[in-house]
Amino acid sequence: MNPAQIDAYLRRIGAARPARPTAGALRELHLRHLRSVPFENLSIHLGEEIVLEEKRLLDKVVGAGRGGFCYELNGAFSVLLTELGFGVTPLAGRVYGEEGRLGIPYDHLALRVRTVDGEEWLADVGFGTHSHYPLAFAERGEQADPGGTFRIAEAGPDAAGAGARGGEGTPGGDLDVLRDGLPQYRLEVRPRVLGDFTAGAWWHSTSPSSHFTQSLVCSRGTEDGGRITLSGRTLTETAADGARAVRELEGDAEVLGVYRERFGIGLDRVPTVLKPAKRSRNG
């Protein structure tokens, strides 16, 4: 990124350039990102290619004023943070699904961020409803946040027996990220690069088993600490206290207007779910 691109990204999220890469600066950037750049999977249903390369991510998030899913949002955010002087390490995660089952490898991308004072944080602007602020990476107790009570815990073995630590204090084991006592995703601590997530992004964009191919979502945090979400034609506005207002949008013009006015996304047509056909056992 050149200085003009950095400034454009900061304008996109309504943030000033921080003087130093401090924990306070990271908190501010994290919150503003969540409130400005929507978590959305519209590209999958608009037939748009998803490419995990720095230029393409910045073209989409900054140039086109769009959002994306975890690979795109945390991928773009990692570029900005690196340019601002933070130490950034991408980490791979697997999201907990029904009955506590873990998703595919490279199911999720999150960021381990080091600030100028040497502290480390878990930053994640690509998980939809999650913590508003980064979580202290080394803290194993509860962490209060406007989005809930979070905890980063040492993980036990998964179904294959992998992921547990060798013993008390043994480094290198997986970590579980919990919200209000419920596990959200499991993190590997091994450093990754953006290109490692290409297969995961492809699977989520094409597989009939991926929830991203089965539904439409566009969601962002709001200035009052709540959230606004458009799922297909259903608009849900959630206040900071949890109160919800839900209504069905009437026609295409209203849907396009909500995308434009509430999410800053200008579309020339309403996206519709394009479910990939399930293949038979014989292919």
Side-chain angles (χ1 to χ4, degrees), residues 64-80:
R66 287 283 300 277
F69 55 176
C70 68
Y71 312 105
E72 300 170 287
L73 298 182
N74 283 322
F77 194 42
S78 72
V79 176
L80 175 65

Side-chain angles (χ1 to χ4, degrees), residues 4 65 99 132 199 204 227 231 282:
E99 299 178 356
H132 293 202
H204 274 302
R227 175 165 289 274
S231 298
N282 297 323

Side-chain angles (χ1 to χ4, degrees), residues 201-223:
W202 175 83
W203 187 89
H204 274 302
S205 302
T206 61
S207 172
S209 298
S210 167
H211 61 92
F212 287 116
T213 63
Q214 299 173 30
S215 62
L216 282 161
V217 64
C218 186
S219 182
R220 67 168 179 83
T222 56
E223 291 296 325

Side-chain angles (χ1 to χ4, degrees), residues 26 74 78 81-82 86-92 109-115 118-124 134-138 140 165 171-173 175 187-192:
L26 177 62
N74 283 322
S78 72
L81 293 178
T82 299
F86 294 92
V88 183
T89 302
L91 299 179
L109 165 62
L111 305 174
R112 185 173 187 171
V113 181
R114 186 175 64 257
T115 57
E119 294 182 339
E120 290 194 317
W121 302 87
L122 175 62
D124 192 343
L135 303 175
F137 199 88
R140 295 295 175 260
R165 291 177 177 245
L175 300 171
L187 275 179
E188 297 178 4
V189 296
R190 176 182 175 182
R192 299 294 182 180

Side-chain angles (χ1 to χ4, degrees), residues 279-283:
R279 301 178 65 183
S280 70
R281 290 178 177 270
N282 297 323

Side-chain angles (χ1 to χ4, degrees), residues 30 33-34 37-40 68-74 93-97 107-111 122-131 135 150 177-179 182-187 204 211-212 217 219-220 227:
H30 196 277
H33 206 288
L34 289 170
V37 184
F39 179 90
E40 50 107 333
F69 55 176
C70 68
Y71 312 105
E72 300 170 287
L73 298 182
N74 283 322
R94 299 174 67 189
V95 178
Y96 279 93
D107 198 18
H108 183 59
L109 165 62
L111 305 174
L122 175 62
D124 192 343
V125 296
F127 197 66
T129 303
H130 198 56
S131 67
L135 303 175
F150 291 82
V177 179
L178 298 91
R179 175 174 178 256
L182 299 176
Q184 304 297 296
Y185 56 82
R186 176 165 292 195
L187 275 179
H204 274 302
H211 61 92
F212 287 116
V217 64
S219 182
R220 67 168 179 83
R227 175 165 289 274

Side-chain angles (χ1 to χ4, degrees), residues 263-280:
F263 298 99
I265 296 176
L267 300 175
D268 56 12
R269 63 185 175 91
V270 173
T272 56
V273 174
L274 300 176
K275 294 183 181 179
K278 291 191 176 182
R279 301 178 65 183
S280 70

